[in-house]
Amino acid sequence: MKPWIKRSLMAFTGVTLAVGGLAACGTRHHERGPMSPEKIAEVRGKVVERITSKLDLNAEQQQKLNVLADKVQAQRTALIGQTPNPRAEFSALVAGDKFDRARALNLLDEKTRVVQVSSPDVINAMADFYDSLNPTQQAEVRERMGQRKGWFGRG
């Protein structure tokens, strides 16, 4: 695989993990706590719909996008883990007089294992989706990834 493709895929994986981690700790709505499975499905549907319309995907490409969305969602779910409130888990690190280094390292090890196990599936799904795009669609993906507004900006 060409070095720039590897770097791009690793960058995408890093961004996916960062977004997934942030999404695990917060929400963009007025409720408190993590998003419900219904809300997650709604947001996922909007994301897939938006990307499908922006790239004018055919049925095969849309199916590969859905596989990618499933893999990213599975990784996000694994990153959150069984904790009902990921924020509380992080807040517990600073709950006492001293920062809980052992607990922080344990949390880091746990999340790193999830990333190591699930990232190859996410990368393969991203590669399958990207490789299914025509050159014009690939150029649109590269352009959108380079913009600050990304897929969800106005315009």
Side-chain angles (χ1 to χ4, degrees):
M1 191 180 295
K2 294 182 180 178
W4 70 269
I5 293 175
K6 283 184 181 179
R7 283 194 304 268
S8 297
L9 289 174
M10 291 307 291
F12 176 76
T13 301
V15 168
T16 300
L17 294 175
V19 169
L22 291 173
C25 292
T27 61
R28 292 182 58 113
H29 50 86
H30 296 289
E31 299 173 17
R32 288 286 180 197
M35 286 194 288
S36 68
E38 295 80 20
K39 182 68 176 176
I40 291 170
E42 177 186 335
V43 169
R44 180 191 181 282
K46 287 179 182 179
V47 169
V48 168
E49 182 181 311
R50 175 82 181 219
I51 293 172
T52 298
S53 70
K54 289 289 184 183
L55 293 177
D56 194 26
L57 300 179
N58 63 32
E60 178 188 349
Q61 293 168 328
Q62 189 172 4
Q63 189 269 337
K64 289 183 182 204
L65 177 60
N66 279 311
V67 169
L68 174 59
D70 290 342
K71 298 294 182 186
V72 169
Q73 180 58 41
Q75 187 176 49
R76 178 188 179 278
T77 301
L79 276 170
I80 293 171
Q82 301 300 317
T83 305
N85 188 352
R87 263 185 200 201
E89 185 175 10
F90 187 74
S91 295
L93 298 174
V94 294
D97 294 343
K98 303 274 186 186
F99 184 82
D100 191 345
R101 294 170 195 235
R103 190 171 185 173
L105 288 172
N106 186 34
L107 185 59
L108 176 65
D109 287 342
E110 177 187 320
K111 303 305 179 188
T112 302
R113 269 191 301 281
V114 169
V115 170
Q116 289 173 336
V117 169
S118 60
S119 289
D121 289 341
V122 173
I123 290 170
N124 287 330
M126 177 61 184
D128 290 345
F129 171 66
Y130 185 79
D131 293 347
S132 75
L133 301 176
N134 65 43
T136 304
Q137 291 168 320
Q138 289 177 348
E140 177 72 15
V141 169
R142 286 190 297 272
E143 180 183 328
R144 292 227 176 234
M145 287 180 80
Q147 296 173 348
R148 279 188 80 146
K149 66 181 181 176
W151 291 100
F152 303 103
R154 297 184 188 267

